Amino acid sequence: MTTESTYGEQASHGSARICRGCWDQMHMPIPIGGPLALPFRAFGITRSKMNPDICTICERSFQYVKKQRQITVDATILFADIRGFTDLSERIEAVRLSEIVSLFQDRCAQAIWAHDGIVNKQMGDGLMAIFNFPIIRKDHAAAAILAAQAIQRNCAAALNSLAPDALPGRLLGVGVGIHSGEVQIGEFSSFRTDFTAIGGVVNQAARLESQAAAGEILVSAETAAEAAALIAGAEERTLTLKGIEQPVRAHVLVKR
């Protein structure tokens, strides 16, 4: 089974018959689609909400899958957040606000899944995605950039259609930050059994996202080096990021 694709191609998602994470990590064919999946569902093994092409074994049984609590993985981390959300929340009713958050999370998830990433955390008007675990994808930096571009294409018009008059003179938009490198993945809590990623790479991706304006994708130099064809001609910006001593060089991609 191959999980890679060339730049510009999108893998179908939600149609896998076996869990791609269990296959890539353990070479174990866990059925998640079709008749063979029915007995597994009886034991609570279903498609994961992090990505419908992996299963709840990947999501909730990290120690079983990897035989240890934590591992180090080369990965790309993506953070995305709605710009203007705080002001918006003070101007519109809760039901409409909930619709905006739901639409944002759904559009982001579809873009991330289409490029083999997982939605690891959802934080209201923001989220964190991991590329290259548990689904292995060698071109994970490019996959994250392509997912970010799809997020920008798919979110802006849809978000503003739900609240056209809430922020006079301003449009809602999404800011995205992406960084690649070694991250620690595992179960870091005694009361939660699903995995996440921590470390400096995660922190820098979050800091980049915090500096991205509506419609911008800030891509670290490390990510850009692994996906040069997608970054060609992009503006470069030097940033001072909270908690990071040295200035950070980022490439700026904007929504087209």
Side-chain angles (χ1 to χ4, degrees):
M1 175 183 295
T2 179
T3 60
E4 296 179 47
S5 66
T6 56
Y7 293 1
E9 291 181 347
Q10 288 192 349
S12 61
H13 56 277
S15 60
R17 292 298 185 97
I18 67 170
C19 171
R20 294 179 61 192
C22 288
W23 180 258
D24 284 359
Q25 298 299 324
M26 301 185 294
H27 296 292
M28 183 178 293
I30 302 295
I32 54 174
L36 292 178
L38 295 176
F40 287 82
R41 291 176 194 166
F43 291 94
I45 300 172
T46 60
R47 295 184 187 272
S48 169
K49 292 182 179 180
M50 292 186 182
N51 182 313
D53 285 337
I54 67 173
C55 74
T56 48
I57 291 177
C58 291
E59 178 182 339
R60 300 174 187 163
S61 306
F62 183 86
Q63 289 190 70
Y64 173 75
V65 173
K66 300 307 297 182
K67 309 300 183 185
Q68 53 190 310
R69 275 187 65 83
Q70 299 157 22
I71 61 170
T72 299
V73 175
D74 186 40
T76 297
I77 305 297
L78 178 153
F79 279 85
D81 187 87
I82 302 175
R83 293 293 174 262
F85 186 80
T86 301
D87 289 345
L88 182 69
S89 65
E90 298 174 353
R91 295 171 179 263
I92 65 174
E93 65 276 14
V95 172
R96 181 59 58 86
L97 200 66
S98 176
E99 291 177 356
I100 290 172
V101 170
S102 295
L103 183 145
F104 164 75
Q105 294 286 359
D106 180 68
R107 295 293 175 92
C108 287
Q110 295 296 326
I112 290 161
W113 296 341
H115 295 92
D116 296 334
I118 64 165
V119 179
N120 185 243
K121 292 181 181 178
Q122 293 176 301
M123 303 85 72
D125 62 319
L127 60 78
M128 167 184 157
I130 303 172
F131 294 81
N132 203 34
F133 189 88
I135 299 173
I136 294 175
R137 179 145 176 177
K138 292 181 179 178
D139 64 339
H140 51 88
I145 293 171
L146 291 170
Q149 291 174 326
I151 288 170
Q152 293 292 16
R153 285 195 304 271
N154 298 340
C155 278
L159 289 173
N160 285 290
S161 70
L162 290 178
D165 304 316
L167 296 174
R170 293 172 54 191
L171 293 175
L172 288 174
V174 178
V176 181
I178 304 174
H179 186 33
S180 302
E182 288 191 346
V183 301
Q184 287 69 54
I185 291 182
E187 298 169 359
F188 299 97
S189 169
S190 60
F191 59 87
R192 289 179 64 89
T193 57
D194 50 344
F195 67 86
T196 190
I198 64 171
V201 169
V202 178
N203 294 338
Q204 184 166 319
R207 299 301 186 214
L208 285 170
E209 177 264 302
S210 71
Q211 295 294 310
E216 287 186 343
I217 305 165
L218 296 186
V219 180
S220 73
E222 289 80 359
T223 302
E226 296 185 32
L230 296 175
I231 300 297
E235 171 197 343
E236 290 190 29
R237 189 179 297 168
T238 300
L239 302 169
T240 300
L241 303 180
K242 182 179 178 181
I244 299 175
E245 292 185 5
Q246 299 298 321
V248 171
R249 184 166 57 91
H251 298 259
V252 186
L253 300 178
V254 295
K255 180 177 69 70
R256 289 184 173 86

